[in-house]
Amino acid sequence: MSSSTRTLRRALTAATAVLAATALAAGCASKTEEGGGGGEKGAGDEFVIGYSQANNAEPYRAQLNKQLEHYVKDYPNLKLLPIADAQQDNAQQVSQIQQFVQQKVDILIVSPNEPAPVTPAVEQACAAGIPVIILDRTVDTDCYTSFIGGDNFEIGKKAGEAVVKELPDGGNVAELRGLLSTEPQKQRHDGFMEAIGENPGIKVVEEREGKWLQPEGTKIMQQWLARGTDIDLVYAHNDPMAIGAQQAAKAAGKDEIKFIGIDGLAIPDGGIRAVQQERMAYTYLYPTGAEEAAKTAADIAAGEKVEKKQTLGTVEITEANAEDVYAKYDMSGKVD
């Protein structure tokens, strides 16, 4: 093969790659600019929703699923397929998203387990013309229709401010963090550190990745106590880890240790009840976003423009307001 032929082939290959990348970028740009995407069907047509959930084993996510199933029923033209459980497995979640793309669902909802691994699959959905709602955790692309999630930095900051109130003379804090690769974990940590930063008497003496799971909270707390770490307060990035750590502390006779969590689910074994029972000092409402996701899907189906980013507020839950907050967000009788 002559050098000129090889040069021509390399040029053609490079041009093809550029065209493919341009096509993907154009597909992504069109979806992000439109905001809607349901205009091809008629008003009475059925819109099928596929949802890939990060991990059904987490109480927050199990409740999110139930609430989404409930709120979707408010819109007769929406059909939610059986929710796909990624089980904290990135490869499984990628496969689920790709299957939904192959099924040509009308709307895709994704609660990412971790951002980087699922990003290419989300971009595939976007390039296929499927409106994508990202719920709770971000992805490493702008190629989606709407992101819905809480203000994790603000929640972390409020938790840090609570620690300052609980430890006015200083003290030792242990931090149970979520999956280290996820944005909520990073923001909950950063907000917390900003709040306690001007209080040199408060020291973070332990921190570990608890993966959002209650058994991990129990195991890690047992390890900390076994090696004799002096802990005055545990700040956990969600209620299950806080509750697991509290159980370990109680079993070890360390009833003086205080606990702060995040989620504030109005369920019998959730954070609000733990605050009412004085097993936790504080928790912070982290809305599931299920109601907003259902409405956003309905708006997309109607061809309406939706907000690119929807940030949900929080509530600081203490023993004083726990009963009222529970009553406000209690979904018993509405979801199974």
Side-chain angles (χ1 to χ4, degrees):
M1 182 185 298
S2 68
S3 59
S4 60
T5 302
R6 284 196 297 269
T7 301
L8 177 59
R9 287 190 176 183
R10 282 198 297 267
L12 288 171
T13 300
T16 301
V18 169
L19 285 171
T22 302
L24 177 60
C28 291
S30 68
K31 296 317 296 175
T32 54
E33 287 167 7
E34 287 170 10
E40 294 181 3
K41 289 193 173 186
D45 290 337
E46 180 178 75
F47 285 78
V48 177
I49 302 171
Y51 179 28
S52 175
Q53 175 61 276
N55 183 23
N56 288 356
E58 298 170 36
Y60 172 86
R61 302 194 172 280
Q63 189 68 6
L64 192 167
N65 293 351
K66 292 177 181 179
Q67 290 184 13
L68 184 62
E69 291 168 344
H70 168 76
Y71 286 117
V72 162
K73 293 175 184 176
D74 291 340
Y75 306 96
N77 66 326
L78 298 183
K79 177 185 177 181
L80 178 65
L81 296 177
I83 295 172
D85 178 13
Q87 299 177 319
Q88 245 182 27
D89 184 318
N90 294 320
Q92 185 162 310
Q93 185 158 50
V94 168
S95 177
Q96 289 169 357
I97 295 169
Q98 291 174 336
Q99 287 174 18
F100 283 135
V101 173
Q102 291 170 2
Q103 289 175 249
K104 298 182 179 180
V105 297
D106 297 301
I107 299 169
L108 176 66
I109 303 177
V110 180
S111 289
N113 181 53
E114 295 183 274
V118 304
T119 293
V122 168
E123 289 182 327
Q124 287 175 21
C126 185
I130 300 173
V132 181
I133 299 170
I134 302 297
L135 195 52
D136 173 43
R137 299 176 185 168
T138 57
V139 287
D140 297 336
T141 179
D142 289 330
C143 196
Y144 57 83
T145 306
S146 185
F147 168 79
I148 302 171
D151 189 338
N152 288 287
F153 185 88
E154 181 64 18
I155 290 172
K157 186 176 180 181
K158 286 182 178 295
E161 291 167 352
V163 169
V164 173
K165 287 190 290 185
E166 290 294 315
L167 303 175
D169 299 321
N172 294 338
V173 176
E175 183 179 8
L176 279 166
R177 301 172 69 167
L179 281 172
L180 295 183
S181 61
T182 59
E183 195 64 23
Q185 176 278 138
K186 296 174 186 175
Q187 293 176 356
R188 291 176 189 185
H189 171 75
D190 291 346
F192 177 75
M193 295 305 294
E194 179 176 295
I196 67 170
E198 296 181 4
N199 297 270
I202 296 175
K203 299 178 181 178
V204 178
V205 295
E206 297 279 11
E207 61 174 285
R208 284 273 296 280
E209 178 188 52
K211 301 179 180 178
W212 310 111
L213 302 175
Q214 183 168 325
E216 288 291 314
T218 299
K219 180 181 71 175
I220 292 168
M221 189 68 183
Q222 288 171 338
Q223 292 170 349
W224 287 340
L225 294 176
R227 65 174 177 240
T229 304
D230 182 19
I231 300 172
D232 298 301
L233 187 148
V234 174
Y235 164 51
H237 288 196
N238 72 354
D239 290 337
M241 291 190 295
I243 291 169
Q246 188 273 334
Q247 291 172 343
K250 183 176 178 61
K254 298 289 187 178
D255 294 330
E256 72 280 3
I257 299 176
K258 299 176 182 181
F259 296 85
I260 292 176
I262 297 167
D263 281 349
L265 292 178
I267 57 176
D269 56 351
I272 299 178
R273 286 288 189 238
V275 170
Q276 286 181 301
Q277 297 161 1
E278 299 183 4
R279 292 186 290 129
M280 287 169 51
Y282 298 80
T283 187
Y284 292 86
L285 178 69
Y286 190 64
T288 64
E291 184 173 7
E292 292 80 6
K295 182 181 185 305
T296 300
D299 288 343
I300 291 170
E304 297 178 11
K305 186 173 178 63
V306 299
E307 293 294 326
K308 181 75 171 178
K309 184 175 183 180
Q310 302 179 52
T311 303
L312 309 178
T314 188
V315 177
E316 182 177 80
I317 302 168
T318 67
E319 192 176 357
N321 69 350
E323 183 176 353
D324 291 339
V325 176
Y326 193 100
K328 180 177 179 180
Y329 292 97
D330 185 8
M331 294 289 288
S332 60
K334 298 179 182 178
V335 300
D336 297 330

